[in-house]
């Protein structure tokens, strides 16, 4: 599928791209704001290796989650580019 002359394919590509971005942003918001701030007291009752889980999410977990989401986004965008024949293979 080539996007050069196909406006419906362009719209579908961007719709899937925006859906992916919004999904990943919601996950990041839940992990960073939800786990690190809103649910910190509940999560702090759980300890892993001596550290409170809520504190861990606030200090490190959201950063790890962000890095994982970057890799997920890269993989998903490569698949999306292949689906719409926009990939750059050498």
């Amino acid at each position: 599928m080539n996007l050069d002359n196909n406006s419906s394919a362009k719209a579908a590509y961007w719709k899937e791209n925006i859906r992916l971005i919004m999904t990943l942003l919601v996950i990041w918001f839940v992990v960073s704001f939800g786990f690190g701030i809103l649910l910190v007291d509940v999560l702090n009752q759980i300890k892993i290796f001596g550290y409170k889980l809520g504190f861990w999410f606030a200090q490190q977990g959201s950063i790890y989650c962000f890095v994982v989401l970057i890799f997920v986004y890269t993989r998903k965008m490569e698949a999306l580019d292949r689906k719409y024949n926009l990939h750059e293979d050498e």
Side-chain angles (χ1 to χ4, degrees):
M1 186 180 318
N2 193 350
L3 296 183
D4 291 339
N5 297 325
N6 192 345
S7 62
S8 64
K10 287 180 185 177
Y13 175 82
W14 283 111
K15 184 177 179 180
E16 287 189 49
N17 187 4
I18 296 299
R19 182 181 314 134
L20 174 62
I21 290 170
M22 294 307 295
T23 301
L24 296 177
L25 285 176
V26 166
I27 292 169
W28 188 38
F29 176 79
V30 168
V31 170
S32 63
F33 191 74
F35 293 171
I37 296 173
L38 296 177
L39 299 174
V40 68
D41 292 332
V42 175
L43 293 174
N44 277 343
Q45 296 176 6
I46 301 169
K47 290 188 177 185
I48 297 177
F49 301 114
Y51 295 100
K52 296 176 180 177
L53 187 58
F55 175 78
W56 184 83
F57 269 111
Q59 298 301 314
Q60 297 177 355
S62 60
I63 296 170
Y64 289 146
C65 178
F66 182 69
V67 172
V68 168
L69 291 178
I70 290 171
F71 286 110
V72 169
Y73 179 74
T74 302
R75 290 277 188 161
K76 293 288 189 179
M77 283 306 297
E78 287 176 359
L80 188 63
D81 287 348
R82 289 189 188 283
K83 179 180 176 182
Y84 288 93
N85 199 19
L86 295 172
H87 59 296
E88 297 176 4
D89 286 334
E90 294 180 19

Coordinates of all heavy atoms in Angstrom, one line a residue:
M1 N 0.8 -1.2 0.0 CA 0.0 0.0 0.0 C 0.9 1.2 0.0 O 1.7 1.4 0.9 CB -0.9 0.0 1.2 CG -1.9 1.1 1.3 SD -3.0 1.0 2.7 CE -3.4 -0.7 3.0
N2 N 0.8 2.1 -1.0 CA 1.6 3.3 -1.1 C 0.7 4.5 -0.7 O -0.4 4.6 -1.1 CB 2.1 3.4 -2.5 CG 3.2 4.5 -2.6 OD1 3.4 5.2 -1.6 ND2 3.8 4.5 -3.7
L3 N 1.3 5.4 0.1 CA 0.5 6.5 0.6 C 0.5 7.7 -0.3 O -0.2 8.7 0.0 CB 1.0 6.9 2.0 CG 0.8 5.9 3.1 CD1 1.3 6.4 4.4 CD2 -0.6 5.4 3.2
D4 N 1.3 7.7 -1.3 CA 1.5 8.9 -2.1 C 0.2 9.5 -2.7 O 0.0 10.7 -2.6 CB 2.5 8.6 -3.3 CG 3.9 8.4 -2.8 OD1 4.2 8.9 -1.6 OD2 4.7 7.8 -3.5
N5 N -0.6 8.6 -3.2 CA -1.8 9.1 -3.9 C -3.1 8.6 -3.2 O -4.2 8.8 -3.8 CB -1.8 8.7 -5.4 CG -0.7 9.3 -6.1 OD1 -0.3 10.5 -5.8 ND2 -0.1 8.6 -7.0
N6 N -3.0 8.0 -2.1 CA -4.1 7.4 -1.4 C -4.4 8.1 -0.1 O -3.8 7.8 0.9 CB -3.8 5.9 -1.2 CG -5.0 5.1 -0.8 OD1 -6.1 5.7 -0.5 ND2 -4.9 3.8 -0.9
S7 N -5.4 9.0 -0.2 CA -5.7 9.8 1.0 C -6.3 9.0 2.1 O -6.2 9.2 3.3 CB -6.6 11.0 0.7 OG -7.8 10.5 0.2
S8 N -7.1 7.9 1.7 CA -7.7 7.1 2.8 C -6.7 6.3 3.5 O -6.8 6.0 4.7 CB -8.8 6.2 2.2 OG -8.2 5.3 1.3
A9 N -5.6 5.8 2.8 CA -4.5 5.1 3.4 C -3.7 6.0 4.3 O -3.3 5.6 5.4 CB -3.6 4.5 2.3
K10 N -3.6 7.3 3.9 CA -2.9 8.3 4.8 C -3.7 8.5 6.1 O -3.1 8.5 7.2 CB -2.7 9.6 4.1 CG -1.7 9.6 3.0 CD -1.6 11.0 2.3 CE -0.7 11.0 1.2 NZ -0.7 12.3 0.5
A11 N -5.0 8.6 5.9 CA -5.8 8.8 7.1 C -5.7 7.6 8.0 O -5.7 7.7 9.3 CB -7.2 9.1 6.7
A12 N -5.8 6.4 7.4 CA -5.7 5.2 8.2 C -4.4 5.0 9.0 O -4.3 4.7 10.1 CB -6.0 4.0 7.4
Y13 N -3.3 5.4 8.3 CA -2.0 5.3 8.9 C -1.9 6.3 10.1 O -1.4 5.9 11.1 CB -0.9 5.7 7.8 CG 0.5 5.8 8.3 CD1 1.3 4.7 8.5 CD2 1.0 7.0 8.7 CE1 2.6 4.8 9.0 CE2 2.3 7.1 9.1 CZ 3.1 6.0 9.3 OH 4.4 6.1 9.8
W14 N -2.3 7.5 9.9 CA -2.2 8.5 11.0 C -3.2 8.1 12.1 O -2.9 8.4 13.3 CB -2.5 9.9 10.5 CG -1.3 10.4 9.8 CD1 -1.1 10.6 8.4 CD2 0.0 10.7 10.4 NE1 0.2 11.0 8.2 CE2 0.9 11.1 9.3 CE3 0.5 10.6 11.7 CZ2 2.2 11.4 9.6 CZ3 1.8 10.9 11.9 CH2 2.7 11.3 10.9
K15 N -4.3 7.5 11.8 CA -5.3 7.1 12.8 C -4.6 6.0 13.7 O -4.7 6.1 14.9 CB -6.6 6.6 12.2 CG -7.6 6.3 13.2 CD -8.9 5.8 12.5 CE -10.0 5.5 13.5 NZ -11.2 5.0 12.9
E16 N -4.0 5.1 13.1 CA -3.3 4.0 13.8 C -2.2 4.6 14.6 O -1.9 4.2 15.7 CB -2.8 2.9 12.9 CG -4.0 2.1 12.4 CD -3.5 0.8 11.6 OE1 -2.6 0.1 12.1 OE2 -3.9 0.6 10.5
N17 N -1.4 5.5 14.0 CA -0.3 6.1 14.7 C -0.7 6.9 15.9 O -0.2 6.7 17.0 CB 0.5 7.0 13.7 CG 1.7 7.6 14.3 OD1 2.2 7.2 15.4 ND2 2.4 8.5 13.6
I18 N -1.8 7.7 15.8 CA -2.3 8.5 16.9 C -2.9 7.5 18.0 O -2.7 7.8 19.2 CB -3.4 9.5 16.5 CG1 -2.7 10.5 15.5 CG2 -4.1 10.1 17.6 CD1 -1.6 11.3 16.2
R19 N -3.5 6.5 17.6 CA -4.1 5.5 18.6 C -2.9 4.9 19.4 O -3.0 4.7 20.6 CB -4.9 4.4 17.9 CG -5.5 3.4 18.9 CD -6.3 2.3 18.2 NE -7.2 2.8 17.2 CZ -7.3 2.2 16.0 NH1 -6.6 1.1 15.7 NH2 -8.1 2.7 15.1
L20 N -1.9 4.5 18.7 CA -0.7 3.9 19.4 C -0.1 4.9 20.4 O 0.2 4.6 21.5 CB 0.3 3.5 18.4 CG 1.7 3.0 18.9 CD1 1.5 1.8 19.8 CD2 2.7 2.8 17.8
I21 N 0.1 6.2 19.9 CA 0.6 7.2 20.8 C -0.2 7.4 22.0 O 0.3 7.5 23.2 CB 0.9 8.5 20.0 CG1 2.0 8.4 19.0 CG2 1.2 9.7 21.0 CD1 2.1 9.5 18.0
M22 N -1.5 7.5 21.8 CA -2.4 7.8 22.9 C -2.4 6.6 23.9 O -2.5 6.8 25.1 CB -3.9 8.0 22.4 CG -4.0 9.3 21.7 SD -3.4 10.8 22.5 CE -4.5 10.9 23.9
T23 N -2.4 5.4 23.4 CA -2.3 4.2 24.3 C -1.1 4.2 25.1 O -1.1 4.0 26.3 CB -2.4 2.9 23.4 OG1 -3.6 2.9 22.7 CG2 -2.3 1.7 24.3
L24 N 0.1 4.5 24.5 CA 1.3 4.5 25.3 C 1.4 5.7 26.3 O 1.9 5.5 27.4 CB 2.5 4.6 24.3 CG 2.6 3.4 23.4 CD1 3.8 3.6 22.4 CD2 2.8 2.1 24.1
L25 N 0.8 6.8 25.9 CA 0.8 7.9 26.9 C -0.2 7.6 28.1 O 0.2 8.0 29.2 CB 0.3 9.2 26.1 CG 1.3 9.9 25.3 CD1 0.7 11.1 24.5 CD2 2.6 10.3 26.1
V26 N -1.2 6.9 27.8 CA -2.1 6.6 28.9 C -1.4 5.6 29.9 O -1.5 5.7 31.1 CB -3.5 6.0 28.4 CG1 -4.2 5.3 29.5 CG2 -4.3 7.0 27.7
I27 N -0.7 4.6 29.3 CA 0.1 3.7 30.1 C 1.1 4.4 30.9 O 1.3 4.2 32.1 CB 0.7 2.6 29.3 CG1 -0.3 1.7 28.7 CG2 1.8 1.8 30.1 CD1 0.2 0.8 27.6
W28 N 1.8 5.4 30.3 CA 2.8 6.1 31.0 C 2.2 7.0 32.1 O 2.8 7.1 33.2 CB 3.6 7.0 30.0 CG 4.8 7.6 30.7 CD1 5.7 7.1 31.6 CD2 5.3 8.9 30.4 NE1 6.7 8.0 31.9 CE2 6.5 9.1 31.2 CE3 4.9 9.9 29.5 CZ2 7.2 10.3 31.1 CZ3 5.6 11.1 29.5 CH2 6.8 11.3 30.3
F29 N 1.1 7.6 31.8 CA 0.4 8.4 32.8 C 0.0 7.6 34.0 O 0.2 8.0 35.2 CB -0.8 9.1 32.2 CG -1.6 9.9 33.2 CD1 -1.2 11.1 33.6 CD2 -2.8 9.4 33.7 CE1 -2.0 11.9 34.5 CE2 -3.6 10.1 34.7 CZ -3.1 11.3 35.1
V30 N -0.6 6.4 33.8 CA -1.0 5.5 34.9 C 0.1 5.1 35.7 O 0.1 5.1 36.9 CB -1.8 4.3 34.3 CG1 -2.0 3.2 35.4 CG2 -3.1 4.7 33.7
V31 N 1.2 4.8 35.1 CA 2.4 4.3 35.8 C 3.0 5.5 36.6 O 3.3 5.3 37.8 CB 3.5 3.6 34.9 CG1 4.8 3.4 35.6 CG2 2.9 2.4 34.3
S32 N 3.3 6.6 35.9 CA 4.0 7.7 36.6 C 3.1 8.4 37.6 O 3.5 8.7 38.7 CB 4.6 8.6 35.6 OG 3.5 9.2 34.8
F33 N 1.9 8.9 37.2 CA 1.1 9.6 38.0 C 0.2 8.7 39.0 O 0.1 9.0 40.2 CB 0.1 10.5 37.2 CG -0.6 11.6 38.0 CD1 0.0 12.7 38.5 CD2 -1.9 11.4 38.3 CE1 -0.6 13.6 39.2 CE2 -2.6 12.3 39.0 CZ -2.0 13.5 39.5
G34 N -0.3 7.7 38.4 CA -1.2 6.8 39.2 C -0.4 6.0 40.2 O -0.8 6.1 41.4
F35 N 0.6 5.3 39.8 CA 1.4 4.5 40.7 C 2.3 5.3 41.6 O 2.6 5.0 42.7 CB 2.2 3.4 40.0 CG 1.3 2.4 39.3 CD1 1.9 1.5 38.4 CD2 0.0 2.3 39.5 CE1 1.2 0.5 37.8 CE2 -0.8 1.3 38.9 CZ -0.2 0.4 38.0
G36 N 2.9 6.4 41.0 CA 3.9 7.2 41.7 C 3.3 8.2 42.7 O 3.9 8.6 43.6
I37 N 2.0 8.6 42.5 CA 1.4 9.7 43.3 C 0.1 9.2 43.9 O -0.1 9.3 45.1 CB 1.3 11.0 42.5 CG1 2.6 11.5 42.0 CG2 0.5 12.0 43.3 CD1 2.6 12.6 41.1
L38 N -0.9 8.9 43.1 CA -2.2 8.6 43.6 C -2.3 7.3 44.4 O -2.9 7.3 45.4 CB -3.2 8.5 42.4 CG -3.4 9.8 41.6 CD1 -4.4 9.5 40.4 CD2 -3.9 10.9 42.5
L39 N -1.6 6.3 44.0 CA -1.7 5.0 44.7 C -0.4 4.7 45.5 O -0.2 3.6 45.9 CB -1.9 3.9 43.7 CG -3.2 4.0 42.8 CD1 -3.2 2.9 41.8 CD2 -4.4 3.8 43.7
V40 N 0.3 5.7 45.8 CA 1.6 5.5 46.5 C 1.4 4.9 47.9 O 2.2 4.0 48.3 CB 2.5 6.8 46.5 CG1 1.8 7.8 47.4 CG2 3.9 6.5 46.9
D41 N 0.4 5.3 48.6 CA 0.2 4.8 50.0 C -0.2 3.3 49.9 O 0.3 2.5 50.8 CB -0.9 5.6 50.7 CG -0.4 7.0 51.0 OD1 0.8 7.2 51.1 OD2 -1.2 7.9 51.1
V42 N -1.0 3.0 49.0 CA -1.4 1.6 48.8 C -0.2 0.7 48.4 O 0.0 -0.4 48.9 CB -2.6 1.4 47.8 CG1 -2.9 0.0 47.5 CG2 -3.8 2.2 48.2
L43 N 0.5 1.2 47.4 CA 1.7 0.4 46.9 C 2.8 0.4 47.9 O 3.6 -0.6 47.9 CB 2.1 1.0 45.6 CG 1.2 0.9 44.4 CD1 1.7 1.6 43.2 CD2 1.0 -0.6 44.1
N44 N 2.9 1.4 48.8 CA 4.0 1.4 49.8 C 3.8 0.3 50.8 O 4.8 0.0 51.6 CB 4.1 2.7 50.5 CG 4.9 3.7 49.7 OD1 5.6 3.3 48.8 ND2 4.7 5.0 50.0
Q45 N 2.7 -0.4 50.9 CA 2.5 -1.5 51.8 C 3.1 -2.7 51.3 O 3.3 -3.7 52.0 CB 1.0 -1.7 52.0 CG 0.3 -0.5 52.7 CD -1.2 -0.7 52.9 OE1 -1.7 -1.7 52.5 NE2 -1.8 0.3 53.3
I46 N 3.5 -2.7 50.0 CA 4.2 -3.8 49.4 C 5.7 -3.5 49.3 O 6.1 -2.4 48.8 CB 3.7 -4.1 48.0 CG1 2.2 -4.4 48.0 CG2 4.4 -5.2 47.3 CD1 1.5 -4.4 46.6
K47 N 6.5 -4.4 49.8 CA 8.0 -4.1 49.7 C 8.6 -5.2 48.9 O 8.3 -6.4 49.0 CB 8.6 -4.2 51.1 CG 8.2 -3.0 52.0 CD 8.9 -3.0 53.3 CE 8.5 -1.7 54.1 NZ 9.3 -1.5 55.3
I48 N 9.5 -4.7 48.0 CA 10.3 -5.6 47.2 C 11.8 -5.3 47.4 O 12.2 -4.1 47.2 CB 10.0 -5.4 45.7 CG1 8.5 -5.8 45.4 CG2 10.9 -6.2 44.8 CD1 8.0 -5.5 44.0
F49 N 12.5 -6.2 47.8 CA 14.0 -6.1 48.2 C 14.2 -5.0 49.2 O 15.1 -4.2 49.2 CB 14.8 -5.8 47.0 CG 14.7 -6.9 45.9 CD1 14.2 -6.7 44.7 CD2 15.2 -8.2 46.2 CE1 14.1 -7.7 43.8 CE2 15.2 -9.2 45.3 CZ 14.6 -8.9 44.0
G50 N 13.2 -4.8 50.1 CA 13.3 -3.8 51.2 C 12.8 -2.4 50.8 O 12.8 -1.5 51.6
Y51 N 12.4 -2.2 49.6 CA 12.0 -0.9 49.1 C 10.4 -0.9 49.0 O 9.9 -1.9 48.5 CB 12.6 -0.5 47.8 CG 14.1 -0.4 47.8 CD1 14.9 -1.4 47.4 CD2 14.6 0.8 48.4 CE1 16.3 -1.2 47.5 CE2 16.0 0.9 48.4 CZ 16.8 -0.1 48.0 OH 18.2 0.1 48.1
K52 N 9.9 0.2 49.3 CA 8.4 0.4 49.2 C 8.1 0.5 47.7 O 8.8 1.3 47.0 CB 7.9 1.6 49.9 CG 8.1 1.5 51.4 CD 7.7 2.8 52.1 CE 7.9 2.7 53.6 NZ 7.6 3.9 54.3
L53 N 7.1 -0.2 47.2 CA 6.8 -0.3 45.8 C 6.3 1.1 45.3 O 6.7 1.5 44.2 CB 5.7 -1.3 45.5 CG 5.4 -1.6 44.1 CD1 6.6 -2.1 43.3 CD2 4.3 -2.7 44.0
G54 N 5.5 1.8 46.0 CA 5.1 3.2 45.6 C 6.3 4.1 45.4 O 6.3 4.9 44.5
F55 N 7.2 4.0 46.4 CA 8.4 4.9 46.3 C 9.2 4.5 45.1 O 9.7 5.3 44.3 CB 9.3 4.7 47.6 CG 10.6 5.4 47.5 CD1 10.6 6.8 47.7 CD2 11.7 4.7 47.3 CE1 11.9 7.4 47.6 CE2 13.0 5.3 47.2 CZ 13.0 6.7 47.4
W56 N 9.3 3.2 44.8 CA 10.1 2.7 43.7 C 9.5 3.2 42.4 O 10.2 3.6 41.5 CB 10.2 1.1 43.7 CG 11.0 0.6 42.6 CD1 12.3 0.5 42.5 CD2 10.5 0.2 41.3 NE1 12.8 0.0 41.3 CE2 11.7 -0.2 40.5 CE3 9.3 0.1 40.7 CZ2 11.6 -0.7 39.2 CZ3 9.2 -0.4 39.4 CH2 10.3 -0.8 38.7
F57 N 8.1 3.1 42.3 CA 7.5 3.6 41.0 C 7.7 5.1 40.9 O 8.0 5.6 39.7 CB 6.0 3.3 41.1 CG 5.6 2.0 40.4 CD1 5.2 1.0 41.2 CD2 5.8 1.8 39.1 CE1 4.8 -0.2 40.6 CE2 5.5 0.6 38.5 CZ 5.0 -0.4 39.3
A58 N 7.7 5.8 41.9 CA 7.9 7.3 41.8 C 9.3 7.6 41.5 O 9.6 8.6 40.7 CB 7.5 7.9 43.2
Q59 N 10.3 6.9 41.9 CA 11.7 7.2 41.7 C 12.3 6.5 40.5 O 13.1 7.1 39.8 CB 12.5 6.8 42.9 CG 12.1 7.6 44.2 CD 12.3 9.1 43.9 OE1 13.3 9.6 43.4 NE2 11.2 9.9 44.3
Q60 N 11.9 5.3 40.2 CA 12.6 4.5 39.1 C 11.6 3.9 38.2 O 11.9 3.8 37.0 CB 13.5 3.5 39.7 CG 14.6 4.0 40.5 CD 15.5 3.0 41.1 OE1 15.2 1.8 41.0 NE2 16.6 3.4 41.8
G61 N 10.5 3.4 38.7 CA 9.6 2.6 37.9 C 9.0 3.3 36.7 O 8.9 2.8 35.6
S62 N 8.7 4.6 36.9 CA 8.1 5.4 35.8 C 9.2 5.6 34.7 O 8.9 5.6 33.5 CB 7.5 6.7 36.3 OG 8.5 7.5 36.9
I63 N 10.4 5.7 35.1 CA 11.5 5.9 34.1 C 11.7 4.6 33.4 O 11.9 4.7 32.1 CB 12.8 6.4 34.9 CG1 12.6 7.7 35.5 CG2 14.0 6.4 33.9 CD1 13.7 8.2 36.4
Y64 N 11.8 3.5 34.0 CA 11.9 2.2 33.3 C 10.7 2.0 32.4 O 10.9 1.5 31.3 CB 12.0 1.1 34.3 CG 13.3 1.0 35.1 CD1 13.3 0.5 36.4 CD2 14.5 1.4 34.6 CE1 14.5 0.5 37.2 CE2 15.7 1.3 35.3 CZ 15.6 0.9 36.6 OH 16.8 0.8 37.3
C65 N 9.6 2.4 32.9 CA 8.4 2.2 32.0 C 8.5 3.1 30.8 O 8.2 2.6 29.7 CB 7.1 2.6 32.8 SG 5.6 2.4 31.8
F66 N 9.0 4.3 30.9 CA 9.1 5.2 29.8 C 10.1 4.6 28.8 O 9.9 4.7 27.6 CB 9.6 6.6 30.3 CG 9.8 7.6 29.2 CD1 8.6 8.1 28.5 CD2 11.0 8.0 28.8 CE1 8.8 9.0 27.5 CE2 11.1 9.0 27.8 CZ 10.0 9.4 27.2
V67 N 11.2 4.1 29.2 CA 12.2 3.5 28.3 C 11.6 2.3 27.6 O 11.8 2.1 26.4 CB 13.5 3.1 29.1 CG1 14.4 2.3 28.2 CG2 14.2 4.3 29.6
V68 N 10.9 1.4 28.3 CA 10.2 0.3 27.7 C 9.2 0.8 26.6 O 9.1 0.2 25.5 CB 9.5 -0.6 28.7 CG1 8.6 -1.6 28.1 CG2 10.6 -1.3 29.6
L69 N 8.5 1.8 26.9 CA 7.5 2.4 26.0 C 8.1 2.9 24.7 O 7.6 2.8 23.7 CB 6.6 3.4 26.7 CG 5.7 2.9 27.7 CD1 4.9 4.1 28.4 CD2 4.7 1.9 27.2
I70 N 9.3 3.4 24.9 CA 10.1 3.9 23.7 C 10.4 2.7 22.8 O 10.1 2.8 21.5 CB 11.4 4.6 24.1 CG1 11.0 6.0 24.7 CG2 12.3 4.8 22.9 CD1 12.2 6.7 25.4
F71 N 10.8 1.6 23.3 CA 11.1 0.4 22.5 C 9.8 -0.1 21.9 O 9.8 -0.6 20.7 CB 11.8 -0.6 23.3 CG 13.3 -0.3 23.6 CD1 13.7 0.1 24.9 CD2 14.2 -0.2 22.6 CE1 15.0 0.4 25.1 CE2 15.5 0.1 22.8 CZ 15.9 0.4 24.1
V72 N 8.7 -0.1 22.7 CA 7.5 -0.6 22.2 C 7.0 0.2 21.0 O 6.6 -0.3 20.0 CB 6.4 -0.7 23.3 CG1 5.0 -0.9 22.7 CG2 6.7 -1.7 24.3
Y73 N 7.1 1.6 21.2 CA 6.7 2.5 20.1 C 7.5 2.2 18.8 O 7.0 2.2 17.7 CB 6.9 3.9 20.6 CG 6.5 4.9 19.5 CD1 5.1 5.1 19.2 CD2 7.4 5.6 18.8 CE1 4.8 6.0 18.2 CE2 7.1 6.5 17.8 CZ 5.8 6.7 17.5 OH 5.4 7.6 16.5
T74 N 8.8 2.0 19.0 CA 9.7 1.8 17.8 C 9.3 0.5 17.1 O 9.1 0.5 15.9 CB 11.2 1.7 18.3 OG1 11.5 2.9 19.0 CG2 12.1 1.5 17.1
R75 N 9.1 -0.5 17.9 CA 8.6 -1.8 17.2 C 7.3 -1.7 16.5 O 7.1 -2.1 15.4 CB 8.5 -2.9 18.3 CG 9.8 -3.4 18.9 CD 10.4 -4.4 17.9 NE 11.6 -5.0 18.5 CZ 12.0 -6.1 18.2 NH1 11.5 -6.7 17.2 NH2 13.1 -6.5 18.7
K76 N 6.4 -1.0 17.2 CA 5.0 -0.9 16.6 C 5.0 0.0 15.4 O 4.3 -0.3 14.4 CB 4.0 -0.3 17.7 CG 3.8 -1.2 18.8 CD 2.9 -2.4 18.4 CE 2.4 -3.2 19.5 NZ 1.5 -4.3 19.1
M77 N 5.8 1.0 15.4 CA 5.9 1.9 14.3 C 6.6 1.2 13.1 O 6.2 1.4 11.9 CB 6.6 3.2 14.6 CG 5.8 4.2 15.4 SD 4.2 4.5 14.6 CE 4.7 5.3 13.1
E78 N 7.6 0.4 13.4 CA 8.2 -0.4 12.3 C 7.2 -1.3 11.6 O 7.1 -1.4 10.4 CB 9.4 -1.2 12.8 CG 10.6 -0.4 13.1 CD 11.7 -1.2 13.7 OE1 11.6 -2.4 13.9 OE2 12.8 -0.6 14.0
A79 N 6.4 -1.9 12.5 CA 5.3 -2.8 11.9 C 4.3 -2.0 11.1 O 3.8 -2.4 10.1 CB 4.6 -3.6 13.1
L80 N 3.9 -0.9 11.6 CA 3.0 0.0 11.0 C 3.5 0.5 9.6 O 2.8 0.5 8.6 CB 2.6 1.2 11.9 CG 1.4 2.1 11.4 CD1 0.1 1.3 11.3 CD2 1.3 3.2 12.3
D81 N 4.8 0.9 9.6 CA 5.4 1.3 8.4 C 5.5 0.2 7.3 O 5.3 0.4 6.1 CB 6.8 1.8 8.6 CG 6.8 3.2 9.3 OD1 5.8 3.8 9.4 OD2 7.9 3.6 9.8
R82 N 5.7 -1.0 7.8 CA 5.7 -2.1 6.9 C 4.3 -2.4 6.3 O 4.1 -2.7 5.2 CB 6.3 -3.4 7.5 CG 7.7 -3.4 7.8 CD 8.3 -4.7 8.3 NE 9.6 -4.6 8.6 CZ 10.7 -4.5 7.8 NH1 10.4 -4.6 6.5 NH2 11.9 -4.4 8.3
K83 N 3.3 -2.3 7.2 CA 2.0 -2.5 6.8 C 1.6 -1.5 5.7 O 0.9 -1.9 4.7 CB 1.0 -2.3 8.0 CG -0.4 -2.5 7.7 CD -1.3 -2.3 9.0 CE -2.7 -2.4 8.7 NZ -3.6 -2.2 9.9
Y84 N 2.0 -0.3 5.8 CA 1.7 0.7 4.8 C 2.8 1.0 3.8 O 2.8 1.9 3.0 CB 1.3 2.0 5.5 CG 0.0 2.0 6.2 CD1 -0.1 1.6 7.5 CD2 -1.2 2.2 5.5 CE1 -1.3 1.5 8.1 CE2 -2.4 2.1 6.1 CZ -2.5 1.7 7.4 OH -3.7 1.6 8.1
N85 N 3.8 0.0 3.7 CA 4.9 0.1 2.8 C 5.6 1.4 2.8 O 6.0 2.0 1.8 CB 4.3 -0.2 1.3 CG 5.4 -0.6 0.4 OD1 6.5 -1.0 0.8 ND2 5.2 -0.4 -0.9
L86 N 5.9 1.8 4.0 CA 6.7 3.0 4.2 C 8.1 2.7 4.9 O 8.8 3.6 5.3 CB 6.0 4.0 5.1 CG 4.7 4.5 4.6 CD1 4.0 5.3 5.6 CD2 5.0 5.4 3.3
H87 N 8.4 1.4 5.0 CA 9.7 1.1 5.6 C 10.9 1.4 4.8 O 10.8 1.5 3.5 CB 9.6 -0.4 6.0 CG 9.5 -1.3 4.8 ND1 8.4 -1.3 4.0 CD2 10.3 -2.2 4.3 CE1 8.5 -2.2 3.1 NE2 9.6 -2.8 3.2
E88 N 12.0 1.5 5.4 CA 13.3 1.8 4.7 C 14.2 0.7 4.9 O 15.0 0.6 5.8 CB 13.9 3.1 5.3 CG 13.0 4.3 5.1 CD 13.6 5.5 5.7 OE1 14.7 5.5 6.3 OE2 12.9 6.6 5.7
D89 N 14.1 -0.3 4.1 CA 15.1 -1.5 4.1 C 16.3 -1.2 3.3 O 16.2 -0.6 2.2 CB 14.4 -2.7 3.6 CG 13.4 -3.3 4.6 OD1 13.6 -3.0 5.8 OD2 12.5 -4.0 4.2
E90 N 17.4 -1.7 3.8 CA 18.7 -1.5 3.0 C 19.1 -2.9 2.5 O 18.9 -3.9 3.0 CB 19.7 -0.9 3.9 CG 19.4 0.5 4.3 CD 20.4 1.2 5.1 OE1 21.6 0.7 5.1 OE2 20.1 2.1 5.8

